Amino acid sequence: MVRGIVVNTVNSSALNGKLAIKDWSFGWTSGVHIEGVQLDGANSEHLVSVANIDVPMGLLKAATGNLDLGDVTVKGVDFNAKLDSNGQLNILQAIKPSNSPPSNSASKLPNVKGTIHLEDFTGTFQDDMHKVTVGLPSASPLNVTVTIKDINQPIEETIDLGLQVDEKDFVKVKVSGTVSAIQGNLVDVAHLKADQTIELSEGDLSAVSQVLQAMHLNLNVTGKMNGKITATVNSLDNISADVGINIASLSAGGKQMNGDTVAL
């Protein structure tokens, strides 16, 4: 009953679309479990769904202001994002604009620690402006682990995903490293520091041919790609990177090249 009242209030006051939640439980000591979250647009089109959200931290600990989250898991997310020809994103259109003026003052972040797992994220992002669709396929979904030992210390992350372009497998990506941009519980981009490693594998350049066509470049490209990029950020003015990309069996042809084909 309480869940229905809360969901109905959110739907009427904050959304142009419709939110539904299958089940939830909140414990003073046992943590939070939310199941079956579904957000649809005003025309009942699927926007976002979440299978499960689990937070071990109970409400009593949350009330202290020191948020020791434990192992948080957000699992089974699927999204259908679309940017129309006017630059409007459908997911944002499902949310009513706030009547409150934005705050110009920085807000202190709470003391947070824990590990956040994002598991099995799939979906598509359709860009009507540039006539391209990028997807996270179910065969290689997005998985992320973020470890926060202290909100003011470097945050560790690992990211693993596969990318599709117009429903064709493009590349698999693995990212790992640390990011530090918080000091004194305030976001401090001026002192941003990061160390990141990006690994690319199973790249298929033929997936970008349709994108080139949409850009009015009549090119057909094929080839295999893999590589590794390491980047270090000591400040916004001090960024270094080491890029190693390997491309094999590259060929390009089409009307843009007067019908010729170049192979490397």
Side-chain angles (χ1 to χ4, degrees):
M1 180 177 178
V2 174
R3 184 175 72 253
I5 294 173
V6 172
V7 170
N8 287 337
T9 300
V10 171
N11 281 328
S12 61
S13 64
L15 298 177
N16 295 315
K18 180 181 179 182
L19 175 69
I21 300 176
K22 180 180 178 181
D23 194 16
W24 71 25
S25 63
F26 297 83
W28 289 108
T29 59
S30 59
V32 175
H33 173 74
I34 303 174
E35 179 181 345
V37 179
Q38 177 77 36
L39 176 63
D40 293 334
N43 296 319
S44 300
E45 71 274 21
H46 164 65
L47 297 179
V48 181
S49 60
V50 184
N52 294 287
I53 302 172
D54 288 287
V55 183
M57 180 184 65
L59 298 179
L60 284 176
K61 283 188 176 180
T64 67
N66 293 314
L67 306 182
D68 186 354
L69 301 175
D71 280 305
V72 176
T73 301
V74 181
K75 187 173 184 178
V77 173
D78 184 72
F79 64 89
N80 176 29
K82 181 178 180 181
L83 189 71
D84 66 22
S85 56
N86 295 316
Q88 300 295 315
L89 185 63
N90 62 341
I91 294 176
L92 294 181
Q93 288 179 315
I95 303 172
K96 292 180 179 178
S98 173
N99 293 322
S100 302
S103 173
N104 295 321
S105 60
S107 299
K108 275 203 167 189
L109 299 171
N111 294 317
V112 178
K113 64 179 180 179
T115 302
I116 301 171
H117 305 277
L118 310 180
E119 300 179 354
D120 298 332
F121 277 47
T122 61
T124 58
F125 174 74
Q126 180 180 331
D127 184 349
D128 285 352
M129 295 181 68
H130 300 94
K131 301 186 185 303
V132 62
T133 299
V134 178
L136 298 173
S138 58
S140 51
L142 170 69
N143 290 284
V144 179
T145 298
V146 177
T147 302
I148 306 171
K149 297 177 180 178
D150 182 289
I151 193 63
N152 295 303
Q153 298 300 318
I155 296 172
E156 303 172 7
E157 97 287 339
T158 60
I159 303 170
D160 192 349
L161 71 151
L163 287 175
Q164 288 185 334
V165 176
D166 292 331
E167 300 185 349
K168 186 175 179 62
D169 290 340
F170 175 42
V171 68
K172 292 184 177 179
V173 183
K174 291 185 177 181
V175 181
S176 60
T178 61
V179 176
S180 178
I182 300 171
Q183 294 186 10
N185 291 67
L186 292 170
V187 176
D188 187 359
V189 179
H191 293 90
L192 172 68
K193 294 183 181 296
D195 287 291
Q196 297 291 311
T197 299
I198 304 170
E199 298 178 71
L200 308 175
S201 63
E202 300 182 34
D204 184 352
L205 296 180
S206 66
V208 304
S209 291
Q210 285 182 263
V211 178
L212 295 174
Q213 300 282 338
M215 297 170 62
H216 305 291
L217 296 173
N218 201 323
L219 284 171
N220 294 312
V221 179
T222 62
K224 303 300 180 182
M225 175 186 68
N226 62 73
K228 184 177 181 180
I229 303 168
T230 57
T232 300
V233 179
N234 293 310
S235 70
L236 292 177
D237 299 322
N238 185 0
I239 301 173
S240 60
D242 184 11
V243 180
I245 303 294
N246 301 310
I247 297 177
S249 304
L250 175 64
S251 70
K255 291 183 179 179
Q256 201 73 28
M257 301 178 66
N258 298 319
D260 295 332
T261 299
V262 175
L264 300 175

